[in-house]
Amino acid sequence: AQRVTQPEKLLSVFKGAPVELKCNYSYSGSPELFWYVQYSRQRLQLLLRHISRESIKGFTADLNKGETSFHLKKPFAQEEDSAMYYCALFTSGSRLTFGEGTQLTVNP
Amino acid sequence: DTGVSQDPRHKITKRGQNVTFRCDPISEHNRLYWYRQTLGQGPEFLTYFQNEAQLEKSRLLSDRFSAERPKGSFSTLEIQRTEQGDSAMYLCASRREVDAEAFFGQGTRLTVV
């Protein structure tokens, strides 16, 4: 069965510091992985997906199939990055499975 | 707003009552999902439609829960005989068949008292 693990429920960094939000997955097939973000009082929205290999708002994420990881990184965190971040796995059964989320706080 | 819309945004109900939520997906999206989210947890999959066909249901979806998408457009999620444990945010999402990106509504927050 597919599973997504985000080991850190809370993560706090200072503005300008690098940030890494961890995500590990288990899935026997070929995964499609996403990062969704939820800002305060807003709906869940897609941040990035591994197949597009884009950098959105300075965030990047690389799929490491050997380590079954899809960690989200940003070299210099900004206060507006404070939000809840969810890693999600899309499987061939068309289901999107979410991790439990990491609450990122960027302090001034 | 041409995104996914959900109604109502908030619902308070007494234990034992029935409630129904509505989701209007983005118009060209033929796939529609329902998720439930409780405090401190990620969204948990409930069920999924492709057009009007309900293709998958989670074990989380007890017999008290039923979902429909009668014409392949909007969907309803009904909870019968609500229990306090049903209190949660209920999220709807939709996507096009050819694209894996799912778009979410703002959710319906249910409180069972």
Side-chain angles (χ1 to χ4, degrees):
Chain A
Q2 60 270 20
R3 184 181 177 92
V4 178
T5 304
Q6 293 180 249
E8 303 142 327
K9 276 195 171 291
L10 302 171
L11 185 61
S12 183
V13 301
F14 286 103
K15 177 182 173 181
V19 63
E20 181 180 48
L21 290 80
K22 292 184 167 53
C23 171
N24 289 89
Y25 68 92
S26 63
Y27 178 55
S28 56
S30 182
E32 279 196 71
L33 285 144
F34 302 81
W35 277 97
Y36 276 81
V37 61
Q38 190 167 28
Y39 301 102
S40 180
R41 299 189 179 190
Q42 294 188 26
R43 67 184 70 194
L44 268 170
Q45 56 187 282
L46 181 68
L47 180 62
L48 54 79
R49 53 194 298 185
H50 89 270
I51 60 172
S52 64
R53 301 187 65 82
E54 299 177 288
S55 172
I56 304 293
K57 299 185 179 182
F59 285 97
T60 58
D62 289 319
L63 176 61
N64 186 323
K65 290 187 177 181
E67 296 183 357
T68 59
S69 69
F70 188 56
H71 303 327
L72 183 69
K73 301 177 184 179
K74 185 169 182 176
F76 307 103
Q78 303 298 313
E79 288 180 67
E80 56 265 30
D81 297 329
S82 295
M84 193 73 173
Y85 290 81
Y86 294 98
C87 183
L89 169 66
F90 181 74
T91 65
S92 58
S94 293
R95 176 191 293 207
L96 197 60
T97 300
F98 286 85
E100 293 194 348
T102 298
Q103 177 68 52
L104 173 65
T105 302
V106 181
N107 300 299
Chain B
D1 186 355
T2 57
V4 179
S5 63
Q6 293 187 244
D7 184 69
R9 294 286 305 279
H10 304 274
K11 178 71 177 178
I12 300 175
T13 190
K14 291 184 178 179
R15 190 176 52 182
Q17 297 294 305
N18 298 345
V19 293
T20 301
F21 311 141
R22 177 179 170 124
C23 170
D24 286 273
I26 295 171
S27 60
E28 66 268 25
H29 289 190
N30 67 335
R31 302 202 174 187
L32 186 147
Y33 301 80
W34 285 99
Y35 284 82
R36 180 173 67 187
Q37 187 175 24
T38 53
L39 198 62
Q41 301 294 318
E44 296 174 297
F45 171 81
L46 293 178
T47 189
Y48 148 61
F49 289 85
Q50 180 174 318
N51 299 312
E52 64 274 12
Q54 189 173 20
L55 296 188
E56 191 176 352
K57 290 170 62 173
S58 164
R59 287 172 294 176
L60 292 173
L61 214 63
S62 76
D63 291 344
R64 296 184 297 105
F65 288 70
S66 62
E68 293 183 342
R69 194 181 183 199
K71 296 182 180 179
S73 57
F74 73 93
S75 175
T76 58
L77 177 68
E78 181 183 17
I79 309 174
Q80 296 182 325
R81 305 181 302 282
T82 52
E83 302 172 356
Q84 286 189 320
D86 297 331
S87 295
M89 177 74 86
Y90 289 85
L91 298 171
C92 177
S94 71
R95 69 176 183 91
R96 295 184 307 165
E97 184 165 355
V98 296
D99 191 359
E101 179 180 350
F103 293 82
F104 282 81
Q106 291 192 299
T108 294
R109 181 168 296 285
L110 172 67
T111 304
V112 182
V113 297

